[in-house]
């Protein structure tokens, strides 16, 4: 038995669905399961943000699709009570994982980062929870620059400003002005970078952190827009 979450699911056959899962100690797993009917139906628990206990068969039902076969699945705890911005944020995290995490990527620790993010969002929405999970995902994918040292090998200084250099890291620059960071332009506060690393962002650092994370994620996501971001935009309208 393993702990997991459903990230996304889609109909496969009349009585079966394909589910994208995040499994503790494993990473992403794609599987197939029968949903049943009536009182035996498991549709109610095959939902995002529902902690699950799952058992897989050693054999795959759809070998040509590379899918595992779920032989047992049950709720491990009540579903995470997400609403409003926290709900949209949860969908955003799920979409990032489906888009960026390959099947059975050995992301052993990412399950706990995801679980902690959901717990924090369920308690109260704060955009910093998204930044910390994005940071954990980028680290897992080998795409997170050092948040300890600059391009010259010196420790980041909270009193300095930095410019991000792709594939190099953060270059100290001579400036006395902070600016928003967007599309690789603008300077980043050393204090913000250190706070991000320590998961202790302050409200006045949120915009810079968001700009940096979006810039780092863009090459990995490609040109296809995130549907969850569109949900946020529509809500803002």
């Amino acid at each position: 038995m393993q702990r997991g979450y459903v990230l996304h699911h889609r109909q496969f056959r009349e009585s079966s669905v394909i589910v994208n899962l995040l499994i503790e100690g494993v990473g992403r797993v794609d599987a197939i399961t029968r949903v049943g009917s009536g009182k035996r139906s498991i549709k109610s628990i095959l939902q995002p943000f529902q902690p699950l206990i799952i058992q897989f068969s050693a054999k795959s039902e759809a070998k040509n699709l590379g899918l595992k076969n779920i032989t047992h699945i049950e709720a491990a705890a009540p579903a995470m009570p997400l609403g409003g911005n926290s709900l949209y944020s949860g969908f955003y995290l799920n979409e990032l994982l489906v888009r960026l995490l390959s099947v059975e990527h050995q992301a052993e620790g990412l399950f706990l980062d995801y679980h902690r993010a959901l717990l924090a969002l369920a308690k109260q929405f704060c955009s910093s929870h998204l930044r910390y999970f994005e940071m954990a995902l980028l680290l897992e994918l080998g795409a997170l620059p050092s948040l300890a040292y600059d391009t010259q090998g010196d420790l980041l200084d909270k009193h300095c400003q930095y410019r991000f250099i792709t594939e190099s890291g953060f270059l100290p620059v001579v400036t006395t002005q902070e600016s928003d960071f967007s599309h690789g332009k603008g300077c980043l506060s050393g204090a913000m970078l250190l706070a991000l690393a320590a998961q202790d962002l302050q409200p006045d650092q949120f915009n810079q952190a968001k700009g940096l994370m979006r810039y780092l994620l863009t090459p990995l996501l490609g040109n296809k827009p995130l549907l969850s971001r569109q949900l946020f935009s529509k809500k803002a309208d």
Side-chain angles (χ1 to χ4, degrees):
M1 297 285 190
Q2 294 171 288
R3 292 199 302 169
Y5 281 97
V6 171
L7 302 175
H8 180 71
H9 64 79
R10 65 186 185 277
Q11 199 72 31
F12 177 57
R13 294 173 182 158
E14 184 176 351
S15 60
S16 300
V17 295
I18 292 175
V19 288
N20 309 126
L21 302 159
L22 184 65
I23 301 296
E24 183 179 22
V26 178
R28 175 178 166 182
V29 174
D30 290 354
I32 188 169
T33 185
R34 299 183 184 280
V35 296
S37 59
K39 293 182 178 180
R40 295 185 176 182
S41 174
I42 60 171
K43 287 183 179 179
S44 63
I45 65 170
L46 287 180
Q47 302 299 327
F49 323 125
Q50 168 66 65
L52 298 168
I53 297 294
I54 306 168
Q55 185 172 30
F56 300 101
S57 168
K59 296 182 179 180
S60 170
E61 180 175 322
K63 294 181 180 179
N64 60 320
L65 297 177
L67 301 172
K68 288 186 176 296
N69 187 31
I70 295 175
T71 56
H72 179 81
I73 186 168
E74 63 181 83
M80 294 287 183
L82 301 182
N85 286 337
S86 290
L87 180 61
Y88 294 131
S89 297
F91 287 136
Y92 170 68
L93 300 187
N94 284 7
E95 192 170 11
L96 281 182
L97 286 167
V98 172
R99 288 275 295 271
L100 299 181
L101 199 63
S102 60
V103 175
E104 295 191 26
H105 181 110
Q106 296 300 307
E108 297 181 4
L110 202 55
F111 176 89
L112 290 178
D113 290 306
Y114 176 79
H115 181 67
R116 291 191 191 104
L118 294 186
L119 286 173
L121 289 168
K123 184 176 181 180
Q124 183 180 15
F125 170 77
C126 181
S127 64
S128 62
H129 303 319
L130 305 184
R131 307 293 84 83
Y132 304 147
F133 182 77
E134 289 167 339
M135 181 172 61
L137 180 58
L138 287 165
L139 179 62
E140 182 63 42
L141 298 173
L144 183 71
S146 173
L147 293 174
Y149 297 93
D150 64 23
T151 56
Q152 300 174 358
D154 295 322
L155 288 170
L156 293 180
D157 186 335
K158 66 179 182 180
H159 300 295
C160 288
Q161 297 293 310
Y162 296 87
R163 189 176 300 280
F164 179 68
I165 308 298
T166 303
E167 297 184 0
S168 296
F170 299 104
L171 176 70
V173 294
V174 179
T175 179
T176 58
Q177 293 184 336
E178 292 188 13
S179 60
D180 289 334
F181 186 86
S182 179
H183 305 293
K185 298 178 181 179
C187 291
L188 295 161
S189 157
M192 184 280 291
L193 295 174
L194 292 171
L196 177 63
Q199 298 193 16
D200 189 29
L201 287 171
Q202 301 305 305
D204 63 345
Q205 299 170 332
F206 288 174
N207 284 339
Q208 272 201 359
K210 178 181 178 179
L212 174 61
M213 291 294 105
R214 181 164 292 194
Y215 183 72
L216 294 174
L217 286 166
T218 294
L220 305 177
L221 290 168
N223 296 325
K224 183 179 178 181
L226 288 168
L227 297 178
S228 50
R229 282 181 182 166
Q230 294 176 5
L231 288 176
F232 266 114
S233 297
K234 291 180 179 179
K235 185 176 184 296
D237 294 339

